[in-house]
Amino acid sequence: MPPCSSDQEAPRSQPVAVMGSGCARSGVMFDGMPQRRSRSEFDAGVSLWVGLQPGILGVVLRFLPCLADRTRLRSVCRQWRVGVQGYVHMLPPPLPILVLPEFKFSSLSENEELMPVRRVPVPKEVAADDPRCVGSFDGWLAGVTPSKKRSDKCFRDADGECFLVNAFSRKVIRLPQLCNWHHSSAYSSKHLPVVNGCFEVHFCANDIYRLSHCQVVFSSSPDSGAKYIVAAYSNHKGTSRIALWQPGMMLWHYWSGIDIDGPKDLVSHQRKLYVLLRHRTRLFTCELEEDDRGFMVSHVELCLTELPRVRPYREGGAISCNMVVWCGELLLIIRHYTHDFCNREVLRVEVFALDVNTKPYGLNEIDSFSGDCIFVGSGGCKSFPASLHDGVEGDLIYFVPDDWKPRDRFVYSMRDGTMRPFAAQLLACYFDMPEENLDFPVWLLPSQ
């Protein structure tokens, strides 16, 4: 991964960022301030450090849990980059990264604070069109750009380009445009009854559409060699759809239905796509099958309709639901709110493990992640093995702002049920604009 550029000066507690020999004329970063140095001075200084033994570099890396700091170390010079390669697989995974609007990011630190904001080194071919991030998987980011037909009221507020970019290798994969205004000769549609439901969904292939992606998930990494599928929750002018794509397809396919309208959370797990209605506690499973058009939806089932009534819920209150895969299991995370719509406050958080062997799915409440942590946001949810890091507290849920409760950001402890603020100072700059214009962050758990 190339060095990252900073949007603000690094605090004094941060490691010194030293540029490689290719940056000699612009100086080095010392204590956050650029210092001019002559070429001879630079070469003399670098020569003292080039011969540092790889074993020492390995020890230093163990004290750098943040990916940005590890990147700075590797970017000092070619010898250091080569020297640390043999130690990367021996290190605990770097602490998670929060990808912010406009493809900026901040690393989580050991004391739960977020590091200074930096820019993701997005290639120029996709960086010039005001992209926003809508999903992540194993170092890959899903991005969209505004439609270039924004002057046309039919396409206003829709997205235009869609792409995948690897945050480390910077490889770009372009997906079909998110506005299609011509029927393809291979157009087809069908209605699918929802198993255990009293309604049906509508599946279309090669159709006209206008999409605006809110969340993107992957069935597997584009680097895996497997035939991966990209699924997206799209909402354009109140029209809610699930859009699907896999390599080789020229257009997005989608499915929709009145009874699955509203904010959603998507999870791809064990060759199934799970679709959760965020505020209605309805969970659907979606199975796909190959056909001559690429693939199609073959089966949709309603597998969860209500929560267990273990204890009474406050009448008139609201819920917000998310899903995450943890240790091979699907977890349902539920926030309960007061009934006051304008000033809703969190009453409590509940976590259930889904029992997929029953019909409908069973729910077993859990009170521990075995030392791991969960990160929750409308751009996706991730689990993280916090126990691999010394001094990092486990059994926490980090909530970042989402499209329903933009100022809802806190850390919840599974151990004692307490809640405390999270990232208030860093994210405050994004709340000066109207809430409907906010782009919401996603968690990127970086690969080594």
Side-chain angles (χ1 to χ4, degrees):
M1 180 177 177
C4 303
S5 59
S6 175
D7 280 358
Q8 55 182 288
E9 293 182 4
R12 293 182 179 270
S13 59
Q14 297 307 310
V16 175
V18 183
M19 297 185 180
S21 58
C23 302
R25 294 187 178 180
S26 58
V28 298
M29 295 296 293
F30 178 77
D31 198 21
M33 297 297 292
Q35 305 292 321
R36 295 293 299 177
R37 297 175 62 183
S38 67
R39 182 74 191 196
S40 60
E41 288 176 326
F42 183 88
D43 290 342
V46 169
S47 64
L48 296 176
W49 293 97
V50 164
L52 197 64
Q53 295 299 314
I56 298 177
L57 291 174
V59 172
V60 173
L61 279 171
R62 290 185 174 276
F63 289 93
L64 301 176
C66 296
L67 182 65
D69 292 340
R70 294 181 182 182
T71 300
R72 290 190 190 103
L73 187 146
R74 287 196 292 259
S75 67
V76 169
C77 62
R78 183 178 303 150
Q79 288 83 351
W80 281 29
R81 185 163 55 251
V82 173
V84 301
Q85 287 178 353
Y87 294 88
V88 171
H89 70 282
M90 303 168 58
L91 299 172
L95 293 173
I97 288 176
L98 180 63
V99 182
L100 298 166
E102 302 175 357
F103 275 81
K104 298 176 182 177
F105 75 87
S106 179
S107 299
L108 188 72
S109 65
E110 291 176 285
N111 58 1
E112 294 182 12
E113 295 180 356
L114 289 171
M115 306 282 279
V117 174
R118 299 180 179 277
R119 294 186 182 276
V120 177
V122 179
K124 292 182 179 180
E125 59 188 291
V126 295
D129 297 322
D130 191 23
R132 59 187 175 90
C133 184
V134 290
S136 67
F137 187 88
D138 283 357
W140 284 86
L141 300 173
V144 296
T145 63
S147 171
K148 294 181 179 178
K149 289 182 171 287
R150 295 181 73 83
S151 58
D152 187 329
K153 66 178 182 179
C154 294
F155 296 94
R156 193 172 299 153
D157 301 324
D159 291 328
E161 299 282 347
C162 185
F163 61 90
L164 310 179
V165 59
N166 190 294
F168 305 97
S169 69
R170 304 181 72 184
K171 179 181 178 181
V172 175
I173 299 174
R174 289 193 175 274
L175 278 59
Q177 289 272 342
L178 295 174
C179 290
N180 177 54
W181 45 90
H182 298 291
H183 274 297
S184 167
S185 59
Y187 165 79
S188 66
S189 67
K190 71 174 182 178
H191 292 274
L192 282 173
V194 176
V195 178
N196 298 328
C198 301
F199 49 92
E200 60 186 14
V201 296
H202 184 210
F203 177 78
C204 287
N206 302 303
D207 193 13
I208 295 173
Y209 54 73
R210 293 181 293 274
L211 304 174
S212 182
H213 285 350
C214 303
Q215 181 191 5
V216 170
V217 298
F218 303 65
S219 63
S220 60
S221 170
D223 292 325
S224 66
K227 202 168 187 179
Y228 64 97
I229 292 175
V230 175
Y233 155 47
S234 171
N235 190 347
H236 178 248
K237 292 187 178 297
T239 300
S240 179
R241 292 169 172 166
I242 304 296
L244 305 165
W245 176 87
Q246 71 176 184
M249 289 173 49
M250 303 302 294
L251 296 172
W252 291 85
H253 296 173
Y254 67 85
W255 60 287
S256 59
I258 295 177
D259 288 278
I260 62 168
D261 279 348
K264 300 175 181 63
D265 200 12
L266 306 183
V267 168
S268 181
H269 181 55
Q270 295 182 346
R271 299 184 178 182
K272 289 184 179 180
L273 177 65
Y274 290 84
V275 180
L276 174 69
L277 299 191
R278 291 279 309 278
H279 312 312
R280 295 168 63 187
T281 326
R282 284 188 172 185
L283 177 63
F284 299 85
T285 57
C286 175
E287 297 181 8
L288 308 175
E289 67 179 18
E290 297 280 343
D291 70 354
D292 55 358
R293 291 154 297 196
F295 68 92
M296 65 181 299
V297 178
S298 61
H299 179 88
V300 179
E301 181 174 347
L302 178 61
C303 53
L304 180 68
T305 58
E306 62 180 12
L307 298 175
R309 300 296 175 179
V310 177
R311 50 183 175 268
Y313 296 93
R314 183 174 298 186
E315 184 177 355
I319 61 172
S320 182
C321 307
N322 294 91
M323 280 188 305
V324 66
V325 177
W326 171 71
C327 294
E329 287 190 282
L330 273 176
L331 301 186
L332 180 64
I333 300 174
I334 304 173
R335 281 168 281 178
H336 292 269
Y337 294 89
T338 57
H339 67 281
D340 185 350
F341 182 81
C342 296
N343 299 292
R344 281 178 175 164
E345 300 295 335
V346 180
L347 292 174
R348 66 179 177 277
V349 177
E350 293 179 316
V351 182
F352 299 92
L354 289 167
D355 184 355
V356 300
N357 296 314
T358 62
K359 290 184 179 290
Y361 285 0
L363 290 173
N364 302 310
E365 190 169 5
I366 64 174
D367 57 11
S368 171
F369 298 137
S370 300
D372 294 344
C373 291
I374 303 293
F375 303 95
V376 175
S378 58
C381 303
K382 310 285 184 181
S383 62
F384 173 70
S387 57
L388 295 180
H389 294 275
D390 294 335
V392 176
E393 185 180 352
D395 292 312
L396 299 177
I397 307 177
Y398 293 84
F399 291 97
V400 297
D402 64 26
D403 54 357
W404 185 63
K405 187 73 173 174
R407 301 176 191 277
D408 196 1
R409 51 190 186 276
F410 63 96
V411 181
Y412 175 81
S413 173
M414 294 285 286
R415 297 173 181 174
D416 56 20
T418 57
M419 291 177 271
R420 57 183 183 266
F422 172 64
Q425 183 176 1
L426 177 64
L427 299 178
C429 60
Y430 293 110
F431 302 124
D432 294 333
M433 61 184 75
E435 292 179 356
E436 63 269 18
N437 295 334
L438 285 172
D439 292 322
F440 299 94
V442 300
W443 288 103
L444 167 65
L445 301 191
S447 55
Q448 286 289 88

